[in-house]
Amino acid sequence: MTAERCAEAGPHTGPDAGTTYADPIQAPGTDEARWRAWDGWLRMPRCPLPTAGRVVVAAAHPDDEVLGAGGALALLAAAGVALTVVSVTDGEGSHPGSTRMTPDRLAAVRARELRDALDELGARDAEIVRLRLPDTGVADHEKRLTGELSRLLAGAALCLAPWTGDVHGDHEAVGRAALAAAEAASVPCRLYPVWLWHWAAPDDSRVPWETASRIDLPPAVRVRKHAAVRRFTSQIRPLGPGPEDAAVLPPEELAHHLRGWEVVFG
């Protein structure tokens, strides 16, 4: 996850009606207690997952796929489904002003964290494809990305990718490219949100809840996902004492991704 440069959509209404922010990702978010109390989860149908074949999971930054779909990855791996995890960027832009870690070093650290997280999910054999597109600049390379994903999706049973309404430029560009590539390859595509839980609110009219479905996570899968999320040390702990090295994912943000279920659109 990289918090810098959300989608350039102008002022955005925050979780409390009537409040607008230039950058909803940097603005105060919705408390997880409000989400947990929402009855909308009960209205979502279950999302079936493949039990054979290969699934391609695209992520704008290393950790997005685990935050948004880590439980699904664990379920797929346990079923013997082959996994191809596509890191579109290396996430080198998560701390642009850091005095402790250069972008190149951060890219290497995040790649290692992803591999460790997949091991925690039981997906040790997952193939990782690093496309190395520029962090915060994916939209400028969307045509190339669509081509790369089209090649990787040949013969796949499913594509998982970031939601196109996540209000983050990189996430939305990857989602658009994945949808286009999946359509060309005749592969079903489901989109997982990451930042939605921060800037939206229960029953938010900006969210297409009618297309949402739920992936329930058994207790053992939840344990795996929690362990996988903890592997992203560069994102959940400060790199140093200064504000430029602050954690991208503080506990209140992580709470959105540690539920007993995940949500996908499409």
Side-chain angles (χ1 to χ4, degrees):
M1 179 185 287
T2 293
E4 297 297 319
R5 189 180 163 194
C6 61
E8 292 81 3
H12 196 85
T13 304
D16 296 314
T19 306
T20 59
Y21 302 92
D23 185 346
I25 290 177
Q26 300 297 338
T30 300
D31 192 278
E32 175 61 9
R34 290 182 62 188
W35 285 115
R36 297 289 178 110
W38 185 41
D39 65 359
W41 314 114
L42 303 177
R43 300 193 294 269
M44 294 180 188
R46 287 353 186 245
C47 177
L49 293 174
T51 56
R54 184 171 60 89
V55 171
V56 176
V57 185
H61 318 99
D63 77 352
D64 291 334
E65 66 291 284
V66 173
L67 294 168
L73 285 167
L75 289 168
L76 290 164
V81 174
L83 294 171
T84 297
V85 177
V86 184
S87 290
V88 175
T89 81
D90 284 334
E92 72 278 3
S94 67
H95 292 79
S98 176
T99 59
R100 295 300 181 96
M101 197 173 292
T102 65
D104 285 348
R105 183 182 170 205
L106 186 55
V109 166
R110 296 192 70 174
R112 184 174 66 251
E113 290 173 344
L114 174 58
R115 171 49 70 192
D116 290 343
L118 291 173
D119 288 353
E120 295 283 8
L121 294 173
R124 182 178 299 273
D125 296 331
E127 174 190 24
I128 298 177
V129 178
R130 294 171 66 185
L131 297 182
R132 294 182 170 86
L133 295 186
D135 193 354
T136 74
V138 176
D140 295 333
H141 303 270
E142 198 169 320
K143 183 176 180 180
R144 174 193 160 190
L145 175 58
T146 301
E148 295 277 7
L149 291 176
S150 296
R151 176 179 61 83
L152 292 167
L153 280 167
L158 176 68
C159 176
L160 293 172
W163 178 43
T164 53
D166 215 30
V167 193
H168 187 296
D170 282 353
H171 293 201
E172 296 187 354
V174 174
R176 290 191 301 266
L179 284 174
E183 182 178 11
S186 298
V187 172
C189 186
R190 300 290 179 265
L191 305 177
Y192 59 86
V194 177
W195 283 112
L196 176 155
W197 312 115
H198 177 86
W199 58 257
D203 287 320
D204 200 309
S205 62
R206 297 165 295 181
V207 180
W209 300 115
E210 68 280 2
T211 71
S213 56
R214 195 174 82 230
I215 301 169
D216 290 327
L217 309 182
V221 171
R222 292 183 66 184
V223 170
R224 281 191 174 277
K225 183 174 181 179
H226 285 218
V229 169
R230 287 197 296 270
R231 289 292 187 169
F232 294 105
T233 305
S234 70
Q235 305 301 295
I236 68 176
R237 297 176 185 167
L239 300 181
E244 67 279 0
D245 289 312
V248 175
L249 291 166
E252 61 271 19
E253 192 65 39
L254 282 178
H256 300 318
H257 304 287
L258 299 177
R259 304 170 183 146
W261 59 91
E262 294 169 343
V263 173
V264 292
F265 296 107

